[in-house]
Amino acid sequence: MNNINNDNIKVPEGWKRVSLGEVIDRIGDGGTPSRTDMGNFGGDIPWVVIEDIKKRIYDTKEKLTLKGLKNSNAKLWEKGSIILSFGATIGEVGIAEVDLATKQGIAGLELKSDQVYNLFLYFSLLIKKNELLKLANQTTILEVRPTTFVDKLYFLLPPLPEQQKIAEILETVDRAIEKTDKIIEKYKRIKQGLMQDLLTKG
């Protein structure tokens, strides 16, 4: 995959090269309230940790109360935001399908919706993991701060209708892969049962 930070790359007509910071309204780190006060947890605000990040985030294992949200650096990110990990695990990406908060090391990105389609940005960030790793500072853990990557991470941005069409095509491919994976898992289970029967019962 070509590095699209390369100034020599040919940009398709109507497309432009932008930094991540140019297409977002807000970005920020998450936070964790004190666990010594259990009144901070058990509410109804989804709270994303790394294991919760998937393509579409509808729910989380743990939830914060309003008190927990206020007693930490966690912020509430609106539905449609991009969720991106930049702490010990870098480059995991998801889309918030509900309003939610995140743990530290996981950023929320609220987008300029008149400029960028969230599903298009999701796919664009998926192929940027290696670039995020290169931007990471080698401290006690690998980490790249949001203030660092928003101005240094570049990608190509087509007009909004093209973004939506590209995202639609990639989404169709994802659905096909998901169906194929389910079929493979089904036949694996069938094979396991056959092996058990054939090798023990004949």
Side-chain angles (χ1 to χ4, degrees):
M1 182 67 65
N2 289 333
N3 181 345
I4 62 174
N5 282 356
N6 187 340
D7 290 323
N8 296 321
I9 194 166
K10 184 174 175 60
V11 179
E13 188 176 348
W15 294 37
K16 57 185 178 180
R17 182 173 175 270
V18 299
S19 69
L20 182 59
E22 291 177 72
V23 297
I24 60 174
D25 276 329
R26 185 167 77 110
I27 185 171
D29 195 0
T32 303
S34 171
R35 289 189 179 275
T36 58
D37 183 352
M38 290 313 296
N40 291 328
F41 292 88
D44 57 7
I45 301 170
W47 183 63
V48 176
V49 299
I50 196 70
E51 294 81 7
D52 295 314
I53 300 179
K54 50 177 105 32
K55 185 176 184 180
R56 299 187 185 278
I57 307 169
Y58 289 93
D59 200 9
T60 56
K61 291 177 183 175
E62 287 190 278
K63 293 182 173 64
L64 301 182
T65 59
L66 190 57
K67 175 185 176 182
L69 184 70
K70 289 179 177 177
N71 288 343
S72 72
N73 291 324
K75 304 161 190 69
L76 199 61
W77 300 103
E78 62 186 27
K79 178 181 176 180
S81 298
I82 293 289
I83 303 303
L84 177 66
S85 65
F86 63 90
T89 303
I90 293 175
E92 296 298 313
V93 193
I95 299 172
E97 292 295 342
V98 292
D99 293 352
L100 50 74
T102 66
K103 184 181 180 180
Q104 65 271 26
I106 302 174
L109 291 78
E110 290 181 354
L111 313 181
K112 294 178 179 175
S113 58
D114 61 335
Q115 294 185 34
V116 65
Y117 180 43
N118 63 359
L119 188 57
F120 176 84
L121 185 57
Y122 163 83
F123 285 118
S124 295
L125 289 172
L126 276 183
I127 63 170
K128 288 294 181 177
K129 186 168 185 174
N130 287 338
E131 288 180 42
L132 281 167
L133 287 167
K134 286 177 186 176
L135 290 171
N137 297 317
Q138 187 66 54
T139 55
T140 51
I141 57 170
L142 275 176
E143 184 175 41
V144 53
R145 304 302 302 172
T147 49
T148 301
F149 66 71
V150 292
D151 294 325
K152 293 185 178 179
L153 196 66
Y154 286 83
F155 62 98
L156 295 180
L157 189 71
L160 207 52
E162 282 188 63
Q163 292 179 43
Q164 292 167 337
K165 189 63 180 175
I166 290 167
E168 183 183 312
I169 291 167
L170 293 173
E171 180 87 314
T172 300
V173 174
D174 270 359
R175 283 196 293 264
I177 290 170
E178 187 179 337
K179 286 180 183 177
T180 302
D181 286 344
K182 285 180 180 176
I183 291 168
I184 290 170
E185 284 304 311
K186 177 182 176 182
Y187 280 102
K188 280 182 180 177
R189 290 193 297 271
I190 291 170
K191 178 189 173 186
Q192 192 64 35
L194 279 171
M195 287 173 64
Q196 182 69 25
D197 287 344
L198 293 171
L199 296 175
T200 60
K201 300 173 185 176

